[in-house]
Amino acid sequence: MNPNETKIMASTAKLRIIGLLLVVALFVVGLAVIMQTTKPRKASIGASETTAQTGHQLKVPIEIDTGGLTINAAEVNLRFDNALVEVVRVSKEQSFFTLWIDDQPQFSNEAGTISFAGGVFSPGFKGKAQVGAVILRSKRPLTTTLAFASGTQVLLNDGKGTAVPLELSPITVEMP
């Protein structure tokens, strides 16, 4: 083999290695993009206003953020410390729900529970909106929480009622 052929073969080998590295890099980048776009989406439930004066009533709007998913039903169950606060009433005014379970929303100061259960007709709902509101009164200055209880769920508008993964954090209520 003459020196020129050796140089050509070495250059060809380098180009093949560089080409192979580019293909691997593109594969890794493509895989990362696919994994990012197929990451499971989650809905969340929370509240926006949570501070009031002692002895005054506090309206706590309970909101669902669908995380970009289309839903058609939800059940929100909350627990509270009935030694610290009492529910004056629950409201479904300004709710995006158009269908309600017969006895919903409801609460029990004795048991320390609140629930909202309902939904919407197809094509469902996508976005962030209020399910209802809880009107609380404090018994003394406090910081307490409304905690999500079992049975809290959001269902997809997919014809099967598939449960949506949820991000649930207790709602902190301050009444100085």
Side-chain angles (χ1 to χ4, degrees), residues 88-108:
V88 176
R89 68 183 179 92
V90 290
S91 169
K92 57 184 177 183
E93 297 166 12
Q94 300 178 346
S95 175
F96 74 91
F97 283 174
T98 54
L99 304 167
W100 289 90
I101 304 300
D102 287 339
D103 61 349
Q104 293 292 320
Q106 64 182 347
F107 69 93
S108 168

Side-chain angles (χ1 to χ4, degrees), residues 4-5 9 22 65 99 116 130 154 172:
N4 283 338
E5 287 178 341
M9 287 180 69
L22 283 173
D65 183 339
L99 304 167
F116 295 89
Q130 185 173 305
V154 174
T172 302

Side-chain angles (χ1 to χ4, degrees), residues 75-79 147-153:
E75 180 177 0
V76 179
N77 297 305
L78 297 163
R79 291 184 327 269
F148 290 96
S150 64
T152 296
Q153 60 182 340

Side-chain angles (χ1 to χ4, degrees), residues 128-162:
K128 181 177 180 179
Q130 185 173 305
V131 173
V134 178
I135 294 77
L136 299 171
R137 181 176 19 244
S138 66
K139 296 182 178 181
R140 63 178 192 260
L142 61 84
T143 297
T144 189
T145 60
L146 300 177
F148 290 96
S150 64
T152 296
Q153 60 182 340
V154 174
L155 305 175
L156 284 176
N157 185 39
D158 63 355
K160 301 178 214 168
T162 304

Side-chain angles (χ1 to χ4, degrees), residues 47-52 58-61 144 146 171-176:
S48 53
E49 296 176 44
T50 58
T51 303
L58 171 64
K59 180 179 180 181
V60 181
T144 189
L146 300 177
I171 299 166
T172 302
V173 176
E174 292 182 48
M175 295 180 147

Side-chain angles (χ1 to χ4, degrees), residues 31-42:
L31 187 60
V33 168
I34 290 170
M35 290 178 72
Q36 182 68 18
T37 58
T38 59
K39 189 187 268 187
R41 292 188 273 180
K42 294 181 180 179

